[in-house]
Structures are given as C-alpha cells and as structure tokens.
Amino acid sequence: MENKIRSAIEQHISAARALPGQWPLIGQIASVVAGALRKGGKVLVCGNGGSAADSQHIAAELVGRFKLERRAFAALALTTDTSILTCLANDYSFDKVFERQVEAHGRKGDVLIGLSTSGASTNVLKAFKKARELGLITVGFLGRDGGVIKPECDLALVIADADTPRVQEMHILAAHIVCGLAEESLANP
C-alpha cells in the first residue's frame, strides 16, 4: 500500500513539474477571466464527471471568495441544475446539455471554461462551438493532446498526460492559480 501511495504522489509531482512551461498561459487565462469580470461579464464553467465537480469548485471560488474579501464575481457552473440537465438530455440529447445553457446565459465578452480530461467530450465541444458563435472567450482545461476541443479554444491549457487523476489535479491547481490572480487583479486595479 505504501508503494502505491508513494507512486501516486510521485506521479502528481511529475505532472506538476511539467507546468512551468505553461505559466504564461495560466497568467493569460487569469487576465482574460479578470478582464471579463471587470467589464461586468461572467464566467461559465462545464465538464463531465470529476470535471463537473471541478466546474462547480471553480465557480464557487469566483462567486464566494478565493482568499480575499471582495465583491462576488459572476460565475456559473453549467453542471448543477438537475432539472435543466435532465430536460435537455431528455428533450434533445446529452450532447446538448451545455450548449443550450451557453446559448441561454452566454453573452459576447463572457468566458466559457470547459474541462475535458480527454479533450473529446462532445457536450463540451458543442458548448465551445456555440460560445464562439456568440462571441464568448473560450478557455479549455484539457488532457492528453487537447483532442478535438483544442482547436475551438482561444486559450487551451493542455496537461499532456493520459492519467485522468493527474490531469484533474493539474486542472484544479491551475484553476486555483487563475482564481487567485483574477481576484488580486480585481481587488487591486
């Protein structure tokens, strides 16, 4: 058991050591998020499974607070309303559960953050296509090689790893950094 624990921690550290090349990109994402919020826009976040939970986590850090006392920022996880999700999945298809919500809530200049450890989640891809059509800024938190979603991203943080837990861990690490930087930027304009 101890070897398995050690191995998981070593894999996490190895994945984190690959992030420095993406520091400028993480800073760009934070600037885009802060810029949209500064202009009265909002951040929409979506993903499936563990990435759905991470979507909620990111929205909560923005609406609540990350570290600083400040006004609430407009952020919405598209993964949380079971009535909307089941209505859209039933009446249309599961592939449209985020796309329709982007159409309903997204406005030009808002930010859509989509998380997909495979880079191939059809419902996230459709949300990105709709977001681009409406003039939202699209930010992907992706895994592997970025998959089919990467070309639909204005900014794509790609964790080049096939191990879903490591990808998710790096996504939430990067998201925490983005939330902290955006919060500081808006608290100290």
Side-chain angles (χ1 to χ4, degrees):
M1 184 183 307
E2 198 171 299
N3 286 339
K4 288 183 180 184
I5 294 167
R6 179 182 295 109
S7 175
I9 292 170
E10 287 172 354
Q11 289 169 13
H12 174 89
I13 291 167
S14 177
R17 283 197 175 117
L19 279 179
Q22 301 206 56
W23 289 353
L25 176 61
I26 294 169
Q28 282 182 287
I29 294 168
S31 293
V32 162
V33 167
L37 296 171
R38 187 176 288 111
K39 293 175 186 168
K42 71 183 95 46
V43 177
L44 305 175
V45 195
C46 64
N48 297 290
S51 295
D54 289 343
S55 298
Q56 294 172 45
H57 185 159
I58 294 164
E61 300 290 17
L62 293 170
V63 173
R65 68 169 177 253
F66 184 67
K67 291 187 175 184
L68 302 176
E69 277 304 321
R70 39 88 176 159
R71 71 175 176 84
F73 300 146
L76 180 64
L78 305 180
T79 58
T80 59
D81 189 321
T82 54
S83 295
I84 290 174
L85 291 169
T86 56
C87 163
L88 295 174
N90 185 63
D91 293 355
Y92 296 95
S93 75
F94 190 68
D95 291 348
K96 289 187 165 276
V97 296
F98 302 137
E99 175 187 13
R100 293 286 291 186
Q101 292 184 78
V102 168
E103 183 177 3
H105 301 294
R107 300 295 174 262
K108 183 175 180 161
D110 289 347
V111 175
L112 173 63
I113 298 174
L115 295 92
S116 175
T117 59
S118 67
S121 304
T122 302
N123 55 8
V124 175
L125 175 64
K126 286 183 175 286
F128 272 55
K129 287 180 181 283
K130 179 57 71 174
R132 294 191 102 181
E133 178 184 313
L134 297 173
L136 279 73
I137 301 161
T138 54
V139 177
F141 280 54
L142 309 171
R144 302 179 192 217
D145 65 357
V148 295
I149 296 172
K150 185 178 177 185
E152 298 297 326
C153 298
D154 293 309
L155 298 169
L157 175 72
V158 178
I159 306 303
D161 199 313
D163 189 24
T164 297
R166 301 299 84 82
V167 173
Q168 290 173 329
E169 291 161 8
M170 295 308 104
H171 283 173
I172 206 62
L173 173 60
H176 274 161
I177 294 166
V178 166
C179 290
L181 292 171
E183 183 176 75
E184 287 175 17
S185 171
L186 292 164
N188 305 304

